[in-house]
Amino acid sequence: LISYGQYFQYNVNFIPFHTIHLFIKGYQMGIVCMETLLRNILGNWIIFMPMAYFLPTLIQCQRKLSVFFITMILIVLSVEVTQVFFRIGSGDIDDVLLNVSGAIVMYIILKYLLRIWED
């Protein structure tokens, strides 16, 4: 088992868009295939989208965008911190940005669709 110092050095990223940039650069250089690029970016973007349906449906206060946004940040940060604490996967600010933005986009889409269906 490696030390937390070594783990942090190689598996934790606090620089926004750094990992996304590395994947895109890797693809451009032929090191990363399109499937890996899309799996990382779209996968992280899509993975928490269901929360945009379930949280507001199950918990009344989650129907307010600001509350939902804060909740999603806390949930995603807890996942990232847990990964670092147990040294599984990686802790990446890009994952936080993609996870939360995906959930917010789906939240807005569902709010819009709900308004259309109510009219």
Side-chain angles (χ1 to χ4, degrees), residues 49-86:
M49 282 185 170
M51 298 297 269
Y53 172 78
F54 289 110
L55 283 178
T57 300
L58 298 172
I59 304 168
Q60 179 90 22
C61 67
Q62 294 297 320
R63 295 179 187 161
K64 190 172 180 184
L65 179 60
S66 60
V67 174
F68 179 77
F69 179 70
I70 291 167
T71 301
M72 287 310 306
I73 289 173
L74 293 173
I75 289 171
V76 173
L77 281 175
S78 68
V79 169
E80 294 297 315
V81 168
T82 300
Q83 288 182 132
V84 171
F85 182 78
F86 289 107

Side-chain angles (χ1 to χ4, degrees), residues 5 10 17 19 22-23 33-34 40-41 48 56 58-59 68 72-73 78 80-81 85 94 98 118:
Y10 298 109
F17 306 106
T19 304
L22 286 177
F23 271 96
C33 68
M34 178 61 78
N40 180 272
I41 294 174
F48 282 94
L58 298 172
I59 304 168
F68 179 77
M72 287 310 306
I73 289 173
S78 68
E80 294 297 315
V81 168
F85 182 78
D94 290 354
L98 290 167
E118 289 177 346

